[in-house]
Amino acid sequence: MKIVHAASELFPYIKTGGLADAVGALAIALADSGHEVSVFLPGYRAALEHRDAAEAVSKLRLKIELGDQFVSGEVRAFSPRKNLTIYLICREEYFDRRAPYGNGERDFEDNAERFIFFCKGVTETLRLLDIQADIVHAHDWQAALLPLLVRETERRHGVTLALKTVFTIHNIAYQGLFPGVKFGLTNLPDELYNIDGIEYYAQVSFLKGGILFADRVTTVSPRYAQEIQTPEFGCGMDGVVQTRVEDLSGLLNGVDNSIWNPSIDAHLPARYSAADLSGKGACRTELLKRVGFDVKFKGPVFGMVCRLTEQKGVDLLLENRDFFLNEDVRLIILGSGSKRLEDEVRALTAQAPQKITLTAKLDEAMSHLVEAGSDFFVMPSLFEPCGLNQMYSQVYGTLPIVSRVGGLADTVIDTDENPATGTGLMCAPTVAGLADGLARALRLFADRERYAAAQQRAMARDFSWTRASRGYEELYRDAL
Ligand code: ADP
Ligand code: GLC
């Protein structure tokens, strides 16, 4: 099949979260099973500076209609492996910036322009290079207008760009909501600015476009596919999602085992496997040393790697500060994001700098070390579409403590509820729930045999993308 993806993040070129890992690994898995895969990405500074992009060639000059003006741009392309082409939709004014979405706390003022330009850049490339896609697969709000724009471009020019379109919701909390006046920039027919179109309470909703107009809609776990149909998790889109239940499915992400694999991980001081865990001890020592803790510490080390946002349950962790202050444990957090959460976590570390620490930056290498060197991985998310770190931690023999929501509930098995199969601990997404999970973690750690058995089971699980990508192949075939 000829499969075209469009997303705002793609590992290793630009990443702020799991979207980059998921799209990157899915594209590779599909390319490796013989499909002809293209991925469209905005021409961010970081992507253009990546060494692979040195090979990029200019494919096309773009003239994109945005409302009543035409805006120019360029398409650059390179091929990092067989069957895979990356197209960068470039325009310096929009994408030559330090970060993809905003500066610190604030989103860029021109995000509507930037991502409409991106989506239209994709349709123009499909049209002018006559790519003839079987599937156009758009991810998250930044690419959500694409299914609609594909059909609109086909109508205007009397051509076929794609046989079927697919839209994946990686996180329904981010919707691409903009003032109604921005609708003009889409150049879509006026009748689409209403309740059955992309209007949402007098604003334009990009996400709604993806949900309503793609041939198939997916999200990244079966449980989240159910949750987003409810007011509790739907973030105001539950009614819209309900109109598509027939075409909605939840397909779990996987783990790219060429990147997240303790037996070959070059970010680690020592490598290890389920059969020989000695290298994990060396990783733990290195982690404790890296953050300035006593390397002889014998108790449990709790690790956490995340964007510091409310989604990740950082407040639940903060409310459980007494556990980390009073028990003989260590807490190592790698995360950046919201200033409020960063300040509050930092205030907590100041109360016990010898046992609680925050590294407030994006650090790919350290994220691997925290996964490998911790005994437990804490992920008390309030909601979690899929979540990757709880899978990474199982692969690394680090038992996850997670909330019973979304993809976390679909990928972790509680050891107390299922003594024979458990691979981690699952708790209610509340302060008391996490408190209970942490207390149970202490008991599990004290029982070396039980801990080691759970660790072996965790490391034996198959989270591979080979499995995960098969679900998408089936979905594409079925749609076609
Ligand atoms: P989300 O996409 O909601 O952020 P996921 O669990 O799906 O959550 O994916 C998060 C990804 O981002 C993981 O690969 C994780 O290691 C990475 N990550 C999060 N914060 C950091 C950080 N501060 N430094 C490095 N990697 C990070
Ligand atoms: C989003 C979600 C996360 C998911 C990732 C990749 O960022 O928050 O749960 O794992 O997308 O699909």
Side-chain angles (χ1 to χ4, degrees):
M1 280 179 275
K2 200 177 258 187
I3 302 161
V4 170
H5 289 276
S8 166
E9 296 187 26
L10 181 68
F11 185 83
Y13 308 111
I14 178 90
K15 166 169 168 175
T16 71
L19 174 67
D21 289 12
V23 181
L26 173 61
I28 287 177
L30 292 169
D32 287 356
S33 31
H35 301 291
E36 202 178 314
V37 182
S38 310
V39 185
F40 283 80
L41 184 69
Y44 294 121
R45 183 188 298 171
L48 286 164
E49 283 174 352
H50 191 278
R51 63 180 134 65
D52 290 358
E55 312 273 296
V57 293
S58 179
K59 283 283 190 186
L60 203 59
R61 300 219 55 92
L62 291 170
K63 244 181 143 75
I64 301 293
E65 188 182 23
L66 280 189
D68 51 15
Q69 30 169 344
F70 279 86
V71 175
S72 63
E74 189 194 4
V75 183
R76 300 183 64 78
F78 60 95
S79 175
R81 75 200 279 134
K82 188 160 170 252
N83 294 337
L84 180 63
T85 309
I86 312 294
Y87 290 91
L88 299 174
I89 302 294
C90 304
R91 178 175 165 84
E92 278 178 24
E93 182 200 345
Y94 290 156
F95 301 123
D96 186 22
R97 301 184 188 179
R98 269 221 311 267
Y101 313 124
N103 287 323
E105 296 286 277
R106 281 176 65 95
D107 286 348
F108 294 130
E109 297 283 339
D110 57 355
N111 276 350
E113 283 83 342
R114 296 170 77 228
F115 292 103
I116 292 171
F117 174 85
F118 170 60
C119 291
K120 290 187 172 186
V122 178
T123 55
E124 276 304 88
T125 311
L126 294 176
R127 185 174 75 85
L128 295 169
L129 298 184
D130 195 21
I131 289 182
Q132 306 256 0
D134 291 307
I135 299 288
V136 164
H137 187 161
H139 300 264
D140 270 357
W141 73 264
Q142 299 91 341
L145 290 181
L146 189 56
L148 191 50
L149 290 168
V150 162
R151 296 308 176 215
E152 178 61 14
T153 310
E154 290 178 334
R155 195 181 60 79
R156 273 207 212 175
H157 293 271
V159 292
T160 302
L161 301 185
L163 297 181
K164 293 290 171 189
T165 60
V166 177
F167 177 61
T168 294
I169 303 166
H170 292 263
N171 194 334
I172 208 163
Y174 299 95
Q175 306 188 344
L177 264 185
F178 299 100
V181 293
K182 300 283 185 186
F183 179 76
L185 298 171
T186 64
N187 301 91
L188 287 165
D190 287 345
E191 61 265 26
L192 284 170
Y193 190 65
N194 68 26
I195 188 165
D196 299 317
I198 62 174
E199 184 262 356
Y200 184 79
Y201 294 100
Q203 293 188 287
V204 186
S205 166
F206 285 22
L207 189 82
K208 194 178 168 201
I211 298 173
L212 286 184
F213 295 100
D215 294 308
R216 294 297 179 96
V217 180
T218 79
T219 185
V220 286
S221 68
R223 181 157 169 144
Y224 195 61
Q226 298 298 322
E227 287 173 347
I228 57 176
Q229 298 172 40
T230 67
E232 193 188 349
F233 291 97
C235 299
M237 279 289 146
D238 35 297
V240 180
V241 173
Q242 279 166 23
T243 67
R244 296 302 313 272
V245 279
E246 306 245 309
D247 300 305
L248 172 71
S249 47
L251 298 174
L252 273 181
N253 289 328
V255 172
D256 183 336
N257 49 23
S258 68
I259 296 168
W260 291 96
N261 181 345
S263 64
I264 55 168
D265 192 331
H267 292 302
L268 305 181
R271 273 148 291 281
Y272 61 93
S273 64
D276 178 3
L277 280 161
S278 53
K280 187 166 167 65
C283 294
R284 191 183 127 114
T285 305
E286 173 66 21
L287 176 62
L288 291 171
K289 192 166 128 210
R290 180 78 62 88
V291 297
F293 289 170
D294 175 10
V295 297
K296 291 203 241 28
F297 176 68
K298 291 282 176 276
V301 175
F302 293 79
M304 183 162 184
V305 179
C306 65
R307 296 179 291 114
L308 292 181
T309 62
E310 275 143 34
Q311 173 189 348
K312 300 297 173 182
V314 186
D315 291 294
L316 301 186
L317 186 88
L318 287 163
E319 293 291 329
N320 274 286
R321 52 170 63 77
D322 288 346
F323 172 86
F324 295 101
L325 292 171
N326 300 335
E327 298 294 341
D328 192 21
V329 299
R330 299 291 178 266
L331 173 61
I332 298 175
I333 305 172
L334 170 64
S336 62
S338 138
K339 181 155 182 326
R340 171 185 75 85
L341 290 172
E342 213 172 293
D343 289 347
E344 289 187 27
V345 173
R346 207 169 290 294
L348 173 62
T349 66
Q351 283 182 268
Q354 74 292 356
K355 51 192 296 213
I356 306 175
T357 174
L358 167 69
T359 306
K361 61 176 180 188
L362 273 170
D363 186 334
E364 192 69 28
M366 181 156 173
S367 71
H368 287 243
L369 185 62
V370 175
E371 284 290 6
S374 307
D375 301 299
F376 292 100
F377 190 89
V378 195
M379 200 161 171
S381 308
L382 302 182
F383 65 93
E384 195 62 75
C386 178
L388 296 170
N389 285 106
Q390 82 285 3
M391 292 193 272
Y392 298 158
S393 41
Q394 290 172 79
V395 169
Y396 280 69
T398 299
L399 303 188
I401 303 169
V402 303
S403 306
R404 195 183 300 278
V405 293
L408 300 176
D410 286 337
T411 56
V412 175
I413 306 168
D414 186 275
T415 44
D416 289 317
E417 287 163 17
N418 304 280
T421 54
T423 60
L425 295 161
M426 193 134 34
C427 29
T430 58
V431 176
L434 179 59
D436 173 60
L438 293 169
R440 291 194 291 130
L442 279 190
R443 289 201 289 277
L444 180 58
F445 191 75
D447 185 344
R448 295 312 295 168
E449 228 168 89
R450 208 156 61 87
Y451 180 91
Q455 189 176 42
Q456 286 295 325
R457 290 192 294 265
M459 293 182 85
R461 294 197 66 183
D462 175 15
F463 290 118
S464 71
W465 262 106
T466 331
R467 175 198 54 77
S469 70
R470 245 177 257 136
Y472 285 97
E473 281 183 293
E474 273 163 32
L475 176 96
Y476 298 155
R477 285 222 180 81
D478 195 51
L480 288 169

